[in-house]
Amino acid sequence: DAFDGLSDEEIRTTICNANGTRSSLFVPEVSFDLLVRRQISRLEQPGLQCVDLVFDELQRIATQCEPPEFQRFPKLRERLLDVVSGLLKSCVGPTHMMVGNLVKIELAYINTSHPDFIGGSKAVARLMEKMNDDHQNATNGNADGGRDNSPGLRATSSLGDEVSLSSTPYPSNIENTNQVNTLNGGPTASSEKGGLMNFIFGAKKTNTGGPPRIVQLPQVPSIMRQTDHPTTDREKIETEIIKSLIESYFSIVRKNFIDMVPKTIMYFLVNHVRDTMQNELVADLYRDTMVSVLMEEADDIAQRRKTCDEMNGLLKKALEIVNEVRDFNTFST
């Protein structure tokens, strides 16, 4: 999902942080860049899990495709499985690295010029069209025929009217302006009781002749969050635009990632093991010093062979006795 682990509140906070202390006329591109990189980086873990699943499946196939003759030679079977398992493990590392590099390649450059990317102008046009349709439906469904005076609905899909999105300033900027006026001794300092100077030194001074009172500043929170003022229409529009851009670009990256991960696994893991397995087995097993050790039979197999040899000898002796008895009967008649 393009918005897995990403809420509208986080998008709104990122846009405000990108704007800084001043409100921008347009949606900041930095917020889109930060958020889309965060979502792209989440693709790495599923890709690595896919590599691990293929590795486990190859190991299972290696243990199940052994011929029944290997049961006679347990040391040869054990050595062969060790060679195959070592070859598979040696290929997992480069495959993991390449899958990680695919994500790093996508993070290295955000190609907003991609032909399949929706772009800012189309995102704004679609949003304005959607808002106009919703407003039209709400107007048709309103029984009293009331008119919605929301500032965001006055905007049209044309790029020339996009400046109207900035007509509603952030409340945080109003508060900052009030604080600046308070510090400068402006009219807000005399009319507002919640100004910065009044907050630090108090609205009233009771003991003018006594020692100065100790200033108690609020404790800095461990996590900085945006103020809890209600979301404005401008912020809603900016959030929807960023979400549209993230969804469009993330779908492009996800499509490329889904196509490249299987190809990477086939090249670095499956095909490499298939092409080099015979050479690895010949180099590791075909040694004069190891032939006698690897071809040792299991203890139960040797015991069974010894028992069969003894039974074969007894049966031959019994056959000879039977033949002698038959010959004796023939001569006596």
Side-chain angles (χ1 to χ4, degrees):
D1 188 9
F3 304 106
D4 186 17
L6 183 63
S7 61
D8 292 348
E9 186 66 24
E10 292 177 336
I11 297 176
R12 174 188 169 205
T13 303
T14 305
I15 294 174
C16 292
N17 292 338
N19 287 330
T21 57
R22 299 178 56 187
S23 60
S24 60
L25 296 178
F26 306 102
V27 181
E29 186 179 354
V30 178
S31 58
F32 162 73
D33 189 86
L34 293 175
L35 294 174
V36 77
R37 288 178 185 273
R38 171 183 168 182
Q39 297 306 108
I40 291 175
S41 62
R42 299 173 66 92
L43 294 174
E44 182 176 1
Q45 190 62 30
L48 298 179
Q49 292 178 357
C50 183
V51 176
D52 295 335
L53 291 175
V54 175
F55 170 74
D56 294 338
E57 183 65 19
L58 290 177
Q59 280 193 323
R60 187 185 66 83
I61 294 174
T63 56
Q64 292 182 354
C65 68
E66 61 182 23
E69 290 78 6
F70 277 1
Q71 299 297 331
R72 295 178 53 190
F73 310 102
K75 293 184 179 181
L76 176 62
R77 174 180 177 273
E78 181 180 358
R79 184 58 183 169
L80 186 143
L81 292 178
D82 291 341
V83 173
V84 175
S85 178
L87 180 60
L88 289 173
K89 291 180 180 179
S90 65
C91 297
V92 170
T95 309
H96 280 167
M97 184 180 298
M98 187 59 194
V99 171
N101 289 337
L102 292 177
V103 178
K104 293 178 181 178
I105 290 172
E106 295 292 346
L107 294 175
Y109 177 65
I110 304 300
N111 184 20
T112 56
S113 301
H114 195 279
D116 296 335
F117 184 56
I118 186 174
S121 59
K122 292 183 179 179
V124 173
R126 289 184 181 181
L127 178 61
M128 294 301 103
E129 183 180 357
K130 178 181 178 181
M131 294 179 64
N132 290 331
D133 293 340
D134 295 341
H135 179 59
Q136 186 68 26
N137 295 334
T139 303
N140 295 334
N142 195 355
D144 56 358
R147 184 166 59 93
D148 192 355
N149 295 324
S150 175
L153 296 176
R154 294 196 302 266
T156 61
S157 60
S158 61
L159 294 178
D161 295 334
E162 189 178 358
V163 181
S164 63
L165 300 179
S166 63
S167 60
T168 305
Y170 289 102
S172 59
N173 296 329
I174 299 176
E175 294 175 3
N176 295 335
T177 306
N178 292 336
Q179 293 179 2
V180 173
N181 292 333
T182 303
L183 295 176
N184 294 333
T188 310
S190 59
S191 59
E192 294 290 334
K193 294 183 179 180
L196 180 61
M197 301 300 292
N198 291 334
F199 174 75
I200 296 178
F201 298 102
K204 296 180 181 179
K205 295 183 179 180
T206 56
N207 298 328
T208 57
R213 188 175 60 180
I214 300 176
V215 178
Q216 297 292 338
L217 295 178
Q219 186 178 2
V220 179
S222 58
I223 300 177
M224 301 299 294
R225 298 184 181 275
Q226 193 180 4
T227 56
D228 295 332
H229 65 81
T231 306
T232 62
D233 294 322
R234 171 192 168 92
E235 291 175 340
K236 292 180 181 179
I237 294 175
E238 289 180 342
T239 302
E240 291 298 326
I241 292 175
I242 292 296
K243 289 178 65 176
S244 179
L245 296 177
I246 292 175
E247 183 178 9
S248 176
Y249 194 81
F250 184 81
S251 63
I252 297 173
V253 176
R254 180 175 56 189
K255 179 180 178 182
N256 296 336
F257 194 72
I258 292 175
D259 180 64
M260 290 302 300
V261 168
K263 294 179 180 179
T264 302
I265 295 175
M266 288 298 299
Y267 178 77
F268 285 91
L269 183 59
V270 179
N271 292 345
H272 183 73
V273 171
R274 181 196 62 188
D275 297 337
T276 60
M277 181 179 294
Q278 183 177 1
N279 295 333
E280 292 290 333
L281 292 176
V282 170
D284 194 271
L285 300 180
Y286 282 6
R287 297 180 182 179
D288 295 337
T289 57
M290 297 183 60
V291 172
S292 59
V293 177
L294 296 177
M295 299 305 294
E296 289 182 359
E297 293 182 333
D299 296 337
D300 57 340
I301 299 296
Q303 183 64 32
R304 288 172 56 188
R305 178 181 293 103
K306 183 178 179 182
T307 303
C308 291
D309 290 340
E310 293 177 355
M311 182 63 66
N312 187 26
L314 293 176
L315 291 175
K316 288 182 178 180
K317 291 181 180 180
L319 182 60
E320 291 177 358
I321 295 173
V322 171
N323 292 332
E324 291 178 357
V325 172
R326 185 187 58 184
D327 294 341
F328 177 78
N329 293 332
T330 302
F331 293 146
S332 61
T333 57

